Each structure stands twice: as C-alpha cells, then as structure tokens.
Coordinates of all heavy atoms in Angstrom, one line a residue:
D104 N 0.8 -1.2 0.0 CA 0.0 0.0 0.0 C 0.8 1.3 0.0 O 0.3 2.4 0.0 CB -1.0 0.0 1.2 CG -0.2 -0.1 2.5 OD1 1.0 -0.2 2.5 OD2 -0.9 -0.1 3.6
A105 N 2.2 1.1 0.0 CA 3.1 2.3 -0.2 C 2.9 3.3 1.0 O 3.2 4.5 0.8 CB 2.9 3.0 -1.5
T106 N 2.4 2.9 2.1 CA 2.3 3.8 3.2 C 3.7 4.1 3.8 O 4.6 3.3 3.7 CB 1.4 3.3 4.3 OG1 1.9 2.0 4.7 CG2 0.0 3.2 3.9
P107 N 3.8 5.3 4.4 CA 5.1 5.7 5.0 C 5.6 4.8 6.1 O 4.7 4.3 6.9 CB 4.9 7.1 5.5 CG 3.7 7.6 4.7 CD 2.9 6.4 4.5
V108 N 6.9 4.5 6.2 CA 7.4 3.8 7.4 C 7.4 4.7 8.6 O 7.0 4.3 9.7 CB 8.8 3.3 7.0 CG1 9.4 2.6 8.2 CG2 8.8 2.4 5.8
V109 N 8.0 5.9 8.4 CA 8.0 6.9 9.5 C 7.9 8.3 8.9 O 8.2 8.5 7.7 CB 9.3 6.8 10.4 CG1 9.3 5.6 11.2 CG2 10.5 7.0 9.5
Q110 N 7.4 9.2 9.7 CA 7.4 10.6 9.2 C 7.7 11.5 10.4 O 7.3 11.2 11.5 CB 6.0 10.9 8.7 CG 5.9 12.3 8.1 CD 4.5 12.6 7.5 OE1 3.5 12.8 8.2 NE2 4.4 12.4 6.2
R111 N 8.5 12.5 10.1 CA 8.9 13.4 11.2 C 8.6 14.9 10.9 O 8.8 15.3 9.7 CB 10.4 13.3 11.4 CG 10.9 14.3 12.5 CD 12.3 14.1 13.0 NE 12.5 14.9 14.2 CZ 13.7 15.0 14.8 NH1 14.7 14.3 14.4 NH2 13.8 15.7 15.9
L112 N 8.0 15.5 11.8 CA 7.7 17.0 11.7 C 8.7 17.7 12.6 O 8.9 17.3 13.8 CB 6.3 17.3 12.2 CG 5.1 17.1 11.2 CD1 4.9 15.6 11.0 CD2 3.9 17.7 11.8
T113 N 9.3 18.7 12.1 CA 10.2 19.5 12.9 C 10.2 21.0 12.5 O 9.9 21.3 11.3 CB 11.7 19.0 12.8 OG1 12.6 19.7 13.6 CG2 12.2 19.0 11.4
R114 N 10.5 21.9 13.4 CA 10.5 23.3 13.1 C 11.7 23.5 12.1 O 12.8 23.0 12.3 CB 10.7 24.1 14.4 CG 10.6 25.6 14.1 CD 10.4 26.3 15.5 NE 11.6 26.0 16.4 CZ 12.7 26.8 16.4 NH1 12.8 27.9 15.7 NH2 13.6 26.5 17.3
L115 N 11.4 24.3 11.1 CA 12.4 24.6 10.1 C 13.4 25.7 10.5 O 12.9 26.8 10.8 CB 11.8 24.9 8.7 CG 12.7 25.0 7.5 CD1 13.3 23.7 7.2 CD2 11.9 25.6 6.3
V116 N 14.6 25.4 10.7 CA 15.6 26.4 11.1 C 16.7 26.3 10.1 O 17.5 25.4 10.1 CB 16.2 26.1 12.6 CG1 17.2 27.1 12.9 CG2 15.0 26.0 13.6
V117 N 16.8 27.3 9.3 CA 17.7 27.3 8.1 C 18.9 28.3 8.4 O 18.7 29.4 8.9 CB 17.0 27.8 6.8 CG1 17.9 27.8 5.6 CG2 15.8 26.8 6.5
E118 N 20.1 27.8 8.1 CA 21.3 28.6 8.1 C 22.0 28.4 6.8 O 22.4 27.3 6.5 CB 22.1 28.2 9.3 CG 23.4 29.1 9.5 CD 24.1 28.7 10.8 OE1 23.6 28.0 11.6 OE2 25.3 29.2 10.9
D119 N 22.3 29.5 6.1 CA 23.0 29.5 4.8 C 22.2 28.6 3.8 O 22.9 27.9 3.0 CB 24.4 29.1 5.0 CG 25.3 30.0 5.8 OD1 25.0 31.2 5.8 OD2 26.2 29.6 6.5
G120 N 20.9 28.6 3.9 CA 20.1 27.9 3.0 C 20.1 26.4 3.2 O 19.5 25.6 2.4
K121 N 20.6 25.9 4.4 CA 20.6 24.5 4.7 C 20.1 24.2 6.1 O 20.2 25.1 7.0 CB 22.0 23.9 4.5 CG 22.6 24.1 3.1 CD 24.1 23.6 3.1 CE 24.7 23.9 1.7 NZ 26.1 23.5 1.7
M122 N 19.6 23.0 6.3 CA 19.2 22.6 7.6 C 19.5 21.1 7.8 O 19.1 20.3 7.0 CB 17.7 22.8 7.9 CG 17.3 22.2 9.2 SD 15.5 22.4 9.5 CE 15.3 21.3 10.9
P123 N 20.3 20.7 8.8 CA 20.6 19.3 9.0 C 19.4 18.6 9.6 O 18.5 19.2 10.2 CB 21.8 19.3 10.0 CG 21.6 20.6 10.7 CD 21.1 21.6 9.7
F124 N 19.3 17.3 9.4 CA 18.1 16.6 9.9 C 18.6 15.2 10.4 O 19.6 14.7 9.9 CB 17.0 16.4 8.9 CG 17.2 15.6 7.7 CD1 17.1 14.2 7.8 CD2 17.6 16.1 6.5 CE1 17.4 13.4 6.7 CE2 17.9 15.3 5.4 CZ 17.8 13.9 5.5
R125 N 17.8 14.6 11.2 CA 18.0 13.2 11.6 C 16.6 12.5 11.7 O 15.7 13.0 12.4 CB 18.7 13.1 13.0 CG 19.0 11.7 13.5 CD 19.7 11.6 14.8 NE 21.0 12.0 14.7 CZ 21.6 13.1 15.3 NH1 20.8 13.9 16.0 NH2 22.8 13.4 15.2
L126 N 16.5 11.4 11.0 CA 15.2 10.7 10.9 C 15.4 9.4 11.6 O 16.3 8.6 11.2 CB 14.8 10.6 9.5 CG 13.4 9.9 9.2 CD1 12.3 10.8 9.8 CD2 13.2 9.8 7.7
Y127 N 14.6 9.1 12.6 CA 14.7 7.8 13.3 C 13.7 6.8 12.8 O 12.6 7.2 12.4 CB 14.5 8.0 14.8 CG 15.4 9.0 15.5 CD1 15.1 10.4 15.5 CD2 16.6 8.6 16.1 CE1 16.0 11.3 16.1 CE2 17.5 9.5 16.7 CZ 17.2 10.8 16.7 OH 18.0 11.7 17.3
Y128 N 14.0 5.5 12.8 CA 13.1 4.5 12.4 C 13.3 3.2 13.2 O 14.4 3.0 13.7 CB 13.2 4.2 10.9 CG 14.6 3.8 10.4 CD1 14.9 2.4 10.4 CD2 15.6 4.7 10.1 CE1 16.1 1.9 10.0 CE2 16.8 4.2 9.7 CZ 17.1 2.9 9.6 OH 18.3 2.4 9.2
N129 N 12.3 2.4 13.2 CA 12.4 1.1 13.8 C 13.1 0.1 12.9 O 12.6 -0.2 11.8 CB 11.0 0.6 14.2 CG 10.9 -0.8 14.8 OD1 11.9 -1.4 15.0 ND2 9.7 -1.2 15.2
G130 N 14.3 -0.4 13.3 CA 15.0 -1.3 12.4 C 14.3 -2.5 12.1 O 14.5 -3.1 11.0
D131 N 13.4 -3.0 13.0 CA 12.6 -4.2 12.7 C 11.7 -4.1 11.5 O 11.2 -5.1 11.0 CB 11.9 -4.7 13.9 CG 12.8 -5.0 15.1 OD1 14.0 -5.4 14.8 OD2 12.4 -5.0 16.3
M132 N 11.3 -2.8 11.2 CA 10.4 -2.6 10.1 C 11.0 -2.6 8.7 O 10.3 -2.5 7.7 CB 9.6 -1.3 10.3 CG 8.8 -1.3 11.6 SD 8.0 0.3 11.8 CE 6.9 0.4 10.4
I133 N 12.4 -2.7 8.6 CA 13.1 -2.6 7.4 C 13.2 -4.0 6.8 O 13.8 -4.9 7.4 CB 14.4 -1.9 7.5 CG1 14.3 -0.5 8.2 CG2 15.2 -1.8 6.2 CD1 13.4 0.4 7.4
D134 N 12.7 -4.1 5.6 CA 12.8 -5.4 4.8 C 14.0 -5.3 3.9 O 14.1 -4.4 3.0 CB 11.6 -5.6 4.0 CG 11.5 -7.0 3.4 OD1 12.6 -7.5 2.9 OD2 10.4 -7.6 3.3
D135 N 15.0 -6.2 4.0 CA 16.2 -6.1 3.2 C 16.0 -6.2 1.7 O 16.8 -5.9 0.9 CB 17.2 -7.2 3.6 CG 17.7 -7.0 5.0 OD1 17.7 -5.9 5.5 OD2 18.2 -8.0 5.6
T136 N 14.8 -6.8 1.3 CA 14.5 -7.0 -0.1 C 13.7 -5.8 -0.7 O 13.5 -5.8 -1.9 CB 13.7 -8.2 -0.3 OG1 12.4 -8.1 0.3 CG2 14.4 -9.4 0.3
H137 N 13.4 -4.8 0.1 CA 12.5 -3.7 -0.4 C 13.4 -2.5 -0.7 O 14.5 -2.4 -0.3 CB 11.5 -3.3 0.6 CG 10.3 -4.3 0.7 ND1 9.2 -4.0 1.4 CD2 10.2 -5.5 0.2 CE1 8.4 -5.0 1.3 NE2 9.0 -6.0 0.6
R138 N 12.8 -1.6 -1.5 CA 13.5 -0.3 -1.9 C 12.9 0.8 -1.1 O 11.6 1.0 -1.0 CB 13.3 -0.1 -3.4 CG 13.9 1.1 -4.0 CD 13.5 1.3 -5.4 NE 14.1 2.5 -6.0 CZ 15.2 2.4 -6.8 NH1 15.7 1.2 -7.1 NH2 15.6 3.5 -7.4
Y139 N 13.7 1.7 -0.5 CA 13.2 2.7 0.4 C 13.7 4.1 -0.1 O 14.8 4.2 -0.7 CB 13.8 2.5 1.8 CG 13.2 1.3 2.5 CD1 13.8 0.1 2.4 CD2 12.0 1.4 3.3 CE1 13.3 -1.0 3.0 CE2 11.5 0.3 3.9 CZ 12.1 -0.9 3.7 OH 11.6 -2.1 4.3
V140 N 12.8 5.1 0.0 CA 13.2 6.4 -0.4 C 12.8 7.4 0.7 O 11.9 7.1 1.6 CB 12.4 6.8 -1.7 CG1 12.9 6.0 -2.8 CG2 10.9 6.8 -1.5
V141 N 13.4 8.6 0.7 CA 13.0 9.6 1.7 C 12.8 10.9 0.9 O 13.4 11.2 -0.1 CB 14.2 9.8 2.7 CG1 15.4 10.3 2.1 CG2 13.7 10.8 3.8
D142 N 11.7 11.6 1.3 CA 11.4 12.9 0.7 C 11.1 13.9 1.7 O 11.0 13.6 2.9 CB 10.3 12.8 -0.3 CG 9.0 12.3 0.3 OD1 8.6 12.8 1.4 OD2 8.3 11.4 -0.2
A143 N 11.1 15.2 1.3 CA 10.9 16.3 2.3 C 10.0 17.3 1.7 O 9.9 17.5 0.5 CB 12.2 16.9 2.6
R144 N 9.2 18.0 2.6 CA 8.3 19.1 2.2 C 8.4 20.1 3.3 O 8.6 19.8 4.5 CB 6.9 18.6 2.1 CG 6.6 17.6 0.9 CD 5.1 17.3 0.8 NE 4.8 16.5 -0.3 CZ 4.7 15.2 -0.4 NH1 5.0 14.5 0.7 NH2 4.4 14.5 -1.5
V145 N 8.2 21.4 2.9 CA 8.1 22.5 3.8 C 6.6 22.9 3.8 O 6.1 23.3 2.7 CB 9.0 23.6 3.5 CG1 8.8 24.8 4.4 CG2 10.5 23.2 3.6
I146 N 6.0 22.9 4.9 CA 4.5 23.2 5.0 C 4.3 24.5 5.8 O 4.9 24.7 6.8 CB 3.7 22.1 5.6 CG1 3.8 20.8 4.6 CG2 2.3 22.4 5.8 CD1 3.1 19.6 5.1
L147 N 3.5 25.4 5.3 CA 3.1 26.6 6.0 C 1.6 26.7 5.9 O 1.0 26.7 4.8 CB 3.8 27.8 5.4 CG 3.4 29.2 6.0 CD1 3.9 29.2 7.5 CD2 4.0 30.3 5.2
D148 N 0.9 26.8 7.0 CA -0.5 26.9 7.1 C -1.2 25.8 6.3 O -2.2 26.1 5.6 CB -1.0 28.3 6.6 CG -0.4 29.4 7.5 OD1 -0.3 29.2 8.7 OD2 -0.2 30.5 7.0
G149 N -0.7 24.6 6.4 CA -1.4 23.5 5.7 C -1.1 23.3 4.2 O -1.5 22.4 3.6
A150 N -0.3 24.3 3.6 CA 0.0 24.2 2.2 C 1.5 23.9 2.0 O 2.3 24.4 2.8 CB -0.4 25.5 1.5
V151 N 1.8 23.2 1.0 CA 3.2 22.9 0.7 C 3.9 24.1 0.0 O 3.4 24.5 -1.1 CB 3.3 21.6 -0.2 CG1 4.8 21.3 -0.6 CG2 2.7 20.4 0.5

C-alpha cells in the first residue's frame, strides 16, 4: 500500500540555505528486499 514507514515533523531552522536533519526509524520494520526512499516538504498553514 506504499504507506510511509515513518514521518517526522520539525521546526524549520535554516542557516545559509541548509538545515541538518536526523530521521529515526524502527530497524525491525526494514525489509532487506525492499526499496526505500526519503522525501521532504516544507509546509506553511497546511499548504506545501
């Protein structure tokens, strides 16, 4: 069903156009045979 494994919301704090991040996940949920991707969005007042 292509549902997300994990999702993180964090306050956007940008310095020189960049912001470091760390995304935590449950290692037991990772299938060695599957393909995983990560994407990012910046949301303001419910809109991307």
Side-chain angles (χ1 to χ4, degrees):
D104 57 359
T106 52
V108 178
V109 292
Q110 187 175 77
R111 178 170 193 180
L112 279 66
T113 182
R114 186 168 59 92
L115 189 64
V116 181
V117 178
E118 184 174 347
D119 296 329
K121 301 176 182 178
M122 175 182 167
F124 69 81
R125 181 181 287 115
L126 185 62
Y127 302 88
Y128 60 90
N129 179 355
D131 295 336
M132 296 178 65
I133 302 302
D134 188 323
D135 292 341
T136 65
H137 286 193
R138 183 185 180 101
Y139 294 88
V140 296
V141 64
D142 58 49
R144 293 182 174 95
V145 175
I146 295 180
L147 178 65
D148 297 330
V151 176

